[in-house]
Amino acid sequence: AQSVTQLDSHVSVSEGTPVLLRCNYSSSYSPSLFWYVQHPNKGLQLLLKYTSAATLVKGINGFEAEFKKSETSFHLTKPSAHMSDAAEYFCVVTTISGNTPLVFGKGTRLSVIA
Amino acid sequence: SQTIHQWPATLVQPVGSPLSLECTVEGTSNPNLYWYRQAAGRGLQLLFYSVGIGQISSEVPQNLSASRPQDRQFILSSKKLLLSDSGFYLCAWSVLARTDTQYFGPGTRLTVL
């Protein structure tokens, strides 16, 4: 079975400072991992995706995430936060092969302070 | 390019009334389609998914139902809404199996009073 834990329900950072959103996963098989972003009252937008290629994945809007198998983690980072980054972020796990659906974390709300 | 539409964007309905939410996808053929519900302060809950016309799988038993009358059309329905049906409903599509990257519509905010 797959599961994902987002370790922080809310993260607040100042504009221009680094962002770190933490995610740990559990998977019986080789995982695929995603990060999605959701702005208020909007649908989810794919930020980046890991599928067993390079462990450091670069996404849109300057975000990146590193797959660490030994730590079962897939943390999302950005060097410098912008006001427009304020949103809800979801970490998602599934398996590369098989028929398991996407499993979503409960989300981390990112606030950016001017 | 592919686009996904949902309507209505917002809906306020009384308890016991029927529901019909529609989702359509453009620019792709034979997509996998999904309905999710996002309740306040919670993550996403997969309600239904479909791999083809008339093929619906239910993930959670409830008073909602889904239909896929056309290849790129996915409908979420209820005969009688409950207060607990309030939430943000999201439609999504993917190219391959349900482990594939999913692309989401703009969502429908449903409030049941």
Side-chain angles (χ1 to χ4, degrees), chain A residues 7-104:
Chain A
L7 299 166
D8 306 292
S9 60
H10 182 211
V11 170
S12 183
V13 300
S14 297
E15 190 175 20
T17 64
V19 175
L20 170 64
L21 304 183
R22 299 182 295 164
C23 173
N24 286 103
Y25 71 91
S26 173
S27 179
S28 304
Y29 305 96
S30 295
S32 283
L33 293 155
F34 309 77
W35 276 99
Y36 282 87
V37 61
Q38 183 182 31
H39 288 90
N41 293 309
K42 302 291 185 183
L44 277 71
Q45 180 184 18
L46 180 68
L47 276 178
L48 49 82
K49 175 181 179 181
Y50 165 79
T51 53
S52 78
T55 56
L56 183 62
V57 182
K58 294 187 182 299
I60 62 172
N61 300 335
F63 284 95
E64 61 183 36
E66 186 172 8
F67 173 71
K68 292 187 176 180
K69 186 176 180 179
S70 61
E71 299 177 9
T72 62
S73 69
F74 191 58
H75 301 335
L76 182 70
T77 60
K78 182 173 180 178
S80 176
H82 295 163
M83 296 298 291
S84 60
D85 294 328
E88 190 91 15
Y89 292 79
F90 292 95
C91 183
V92 183
V93 66
T94 184
T95 52
I96 292 174
S97 60
N99 196 30
T100 53
L102 301 189
V103 176
F104 286 78

Side-chain angles (χ1 to χ4, degrees), chain B residues 6-97:
Chain B
Q6 286 186 245
W7 64 91
T10 60
L11 190 60
V12 180
Q13 292 285 94
V15 170
S17 64
L19 174 72
S20 180
L21 303 182
E22 189 164 345
C23 170
T24 59
V25 181
E26 297 176 356
T28 186
S29 296
N30 197 30
N32 290 277
L33 296 171
Y34 311 83
W35 277 112
Y36 289 88
R37 177 168 58 202
Q38 187 177 28
R42 299 185 181 180
L44 273 71
Q45 179 186 35
L46 178 63
L47 302 175
F48 302 95
Y49 73 95
S50 171
V51 299
I53 294 174
Q55 300 179 63
I56 309 294
S57 296
S58 174
E59 293 291 308
V60 182
Q62 57 213 318
N63 70 319
L64 300 172
S65 62
S67 62
R68 186 170 176 175
Q70 301 180 43
D71 181 45
R72 289 169 288 179
Q73 183 184 31
F74 204 24
I75 297 172
L76 183 69
S77 304
S78 174
K79 293 182 179 179
K80 288 185 178 182
L81 284 169
L82 307 173
L83 285 173
S84 58
D85 291 324
S86 292
F88 194 50
Y89 288 82
L90 290 159
C91 181
W93 70 274
S94 68
V95 173
L96 299 174

